[in-house]
Amino acid sequence: QKEVEQNSGPLSVPEGAIASLNCTYSDRGSQSFFWYRQYSGKSPELIMSIYSNGDKEDGRFTAQLNKASQYVSLLIRDSQPSDSATYLCAVGSQGNLIFGKGTKLSVKP
Amino acid sequence: DADVTQTPRNRITKTGKRIMLECSQTKGHDRMYWYRQDPGLGLRLIYYSFDVKDINKGEISDGYSVSRQAQAKFSLSLESAIPNQTALYFCATSDPLKAAYEQYFGPGTRLTVT
């Protein structure tokens, strides 16, 4: 059974701080990795994709991938209260996505 | 207009009733998916379709059926609804020619079975 593991949180950070979200996966053959943001009662929204080892930056978001350690992370710089949401890690495997259960992030003003 | 639409957005039904959830997309994507989301259990794949003639069971297909009427339409049916099918249901699409695993979600249908 292929799995994606995330700390459920909640992760609480003060406004302006860096939020660090982590994810591990079991399928060593996976090549595609994603972060989705989901506000309460809303649908998941794709915010980052990463396919190669290293860092990928997009605005305040940085995704980090280490395939050897089977580890993906998302850093959110200058966190804002509007970043408060559940963040889902997803890994591509055999044509489909396997989702983690999500980490709930709370950014306190 | 939204690229992926779902109808209805909310539905309350009784045990034993048949119900259909519909998904339409204007993204031109070949691949479509149905998920359910329950608190603490995350997103779980029910069925997926890679094109009109290709339909596959996902992780939790028991009690559900699907129909891919056209490239743009993918419907999910609960033949005889039961209370543990109360959940938030999402449709998603992806384009295998661009980024096969990047999935885009509809707004969801909140289903309550009493």
Side-chain angles (χ1 to χ4, degrees), chain A residues 44-61:
Chain A
E45 174 192 9
L46 180 63
I47 56 172
M48 288 290 286
S49 59
I50 186 166
Y51 302 93
S52 303
N53 278 330
D55 295 359
K56 179 182 178 182
E57 186 175 321
D58 184 0
R60 295 186 296 111
F61 298 101

Side-chain angles (χ1 to χ4, degrees), chain A residues 1 32 34 36 38 41-46 49 51 88 91-102, chain B residues 9 31 33 35 37 40-43 45 48 50 59 88 90 99-108 110:
Chain A
Q1 179 80 1
S32 307
F34 306 91
Y36 285 81
Q38 186 176 24
K42 303 296 185 182
S43 59
E45 174 192 9
L46 180 63
S49 59
Y51 302 93
L88 306 176
V91 176
S93 178
Q94 298 180 328
N96 290 314
L97 282 180
I98 301 172
F99 285 87
K101 294 179 181 179
Chain B
R9 294 294 311 281
R31 296 184 176 184
Y33 309 81
Y35 292 90
Q37 189 173 41
L41 295 180
L43 279 164
L45 183 63
Y48 60 102
F50 283 178
E59 178 187 355
L88 191 52
F90 290 107
Y101 289 105
E102 288 189 8
Q103 293 185 15
Y104 297 90
F105 285 79
R110 185 170 295 281

